């Protein structure tokens, strides 16, 4: 029941919404301060030997790291300081890596390097959960918005011509590009209907099924 003009307007307004999200640099700046303060908090609790407080506050997932902290307490001061230097340095490195992800399309993301086992890795994971989820969900949400906008544009085309295009070439690149693939969104015309989807976070084309982001109508 929605007309072609309204559908095209919907696509345009969705583009405006995607272009006016909060600047990722501001988000990163705020989150960096929170994450680093968390690392400092752990160090302060360690200095007071408040191991139980760390466990109770951060949960059972950090128990292996707390166990390592208990062992660390009996080691030379230089080794204790090196532990926290490494811990905080890794937190900063990961924030920098995820800042790069926010500034680029998922298709350009590099795989996380293998770092081996580190005594503080459970703490890094605990404090990094928020921004890891934010980065991943932001990419998925922006892709879904793009799919909805393109779906509206395709439906507007059908309303105007009673047909759907054979390819997405007539649509602007911002609208038809799959952020997870770096190429056009997957589009399969089927008579007067079509299948439209993104390959999704696993970056594997599953034909619009498991793991892909698709439009369900």
């Amino acid at each position: 029941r929605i007309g072609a003009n309204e559908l095209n307007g919907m696509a345009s307004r969705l583009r405006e919404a995607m272009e006016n999200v909060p600047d990722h640099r501001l988000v990163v700046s705020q989150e960096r301060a929170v994450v680093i303060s968390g690392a400092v908090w752990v160090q302060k609790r360690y200095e007071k030997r408040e191991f139980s407080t760390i466990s109770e506050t951060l949960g059972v997932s950090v128990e292996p790291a707390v166990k390592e902290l208990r062992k660390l307490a009996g080691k030379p001061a230089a080794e204790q300081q090196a532990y926290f230097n490494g811990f905080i340095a890794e937190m900063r490195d990961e924030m920098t890596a995820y800042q790069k992800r926010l500034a680029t399309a998922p298709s350009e993301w590099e795989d996380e390097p293998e770092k081996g086992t580190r005594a503080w890795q459970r703490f890094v994971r605990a404090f990094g959960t928020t921004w890891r989820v934010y980065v991943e969900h932001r990419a998925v949400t922006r892709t879904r918005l793009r799919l909805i906008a393109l779906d509206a544009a395709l439906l507007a085309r059908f309303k105007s011509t009673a047909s759907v295009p054979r390819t997405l070439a007539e649509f602007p690149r911002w609208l038809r590009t799959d952020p997870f693939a770096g190429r056009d969104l997957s589009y399969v015309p089927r008579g007067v209907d079509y299948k439209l989807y993104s390959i999704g976070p696993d970056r594997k084309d599953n034909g619009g099924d498991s793991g892909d982001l698709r439009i369900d109508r």
Side-chain angles (χ1 to χ4, degrees):
R1 295 190 294 271
I2 302 176
N5 289 337
E6 289 80 4
L7 287 164
N8 280 323
M10 183 187 300
S12 297
R13 287 191 292 276
L14 282 168
R15 181 182 186 180
E16 291 174 5
M18 287 187 282
E19 290 178 342
N20 289 291
V21 296
D23 190 321
H24 70 270
R25 291 171 295 185
L26 176 60
V27 175
V28 169
S29 175
Q30 294 172 336
E31 192 61 26
R32 185 188 296 274
V34 171
V35 167
I36 297 304
S37 68
V40 172
W41 178 85
V42 171
Q43 185 170 7
K44 295 298 184 183
R45 301 289 76 72
Y46 168 78
E47 290 170 354
K48 296 181 179 180
R49 302 299 188 258
E50 296 176 352
F51 301 114
S52 296
T53 299
I54 298 174
S55 296
E56 291 168 3
T57 303
L58 300 182
V60 295
S61 65
V62 302
E63 279 301 327
V66 175
K67 184 177 180 180
E68 291 298 322
L69 279 183
R70 292 179 184 275
K71 294 178 182 178
L72 184 66
K75 296 183 178 180
E79 191 169 338
Q80 295 180 46
Q81 189 58 51
Y83 173 97
F84 286 100
N85 288 344
F87 171 26
I88 293 175
E90 184 170 337
M91 297 281 276
R92 287 179 172 146
D93 288 345
E94 292 226 348
M95 286 297 295
T96 298
Y98 275 80
Q99 182 173 6
K100 290 180 180 178
R101 287 195 170 197
L102 285 171
T104 56
S107 61
E108 301 174 38
W109 292 355
E110 297 179 357
D111 293 334
E112 294 187 48
E114 287 290 335
K115 297 179 180 178
T117 302
R118 289 96 59 219
W120 55 77
Q121 67 186 45
R122 293 294 184 104
F123 289 136
V124 172
R125 176 64 61 175
F127 288 112
T129 297
T130 300
W131 43 264
R132 284 175 182 273
V133 169
Y134 171 73
V135 171
E136 293 165 5
H137 281 213
R138 179 179 184 270
V140 168
T141 299
R142 289 175 66 82
T143 301
R144 289 192 184 281
L145 286 172
R146 188 168 300 194
L147 282 167
I148 295 170
L150 181 55
D151 187 47
L154 283 164
L155 291 172
R157 159 70 185 268
F158 177 76
K159 291 278 186 176
S160 299
T161 65
S163 65
V164 295
R166 295 179 60 186
T167 71
L168 300 177
E170 68 182 65
F171 299 102
R173 189 167 297 279
W174 77 266
L175 183 58
R176 69 176 194 260
T177 299
D178 183 347
F180 288 98
R183 52 178 167 74
D184 283 0
L185 288 157
S186 298
Y187 171 70
V188 184
R190 300 180 293 196
V192 296
D193 201 0
Y194 51 85
K195 180 189 288 189
L196 178 66
Y197 64 93
S198 160
I199 62 173
D202 65 1
R203 304 185 202 179
K204 296 178 182 178
D205 191 335
N206 300 301
D209 296 323
S210 178
D212 296 335
L213 305 176
R214 64 181 187 270
I215 290 291
D216 289 318
R217 288 192 282 101

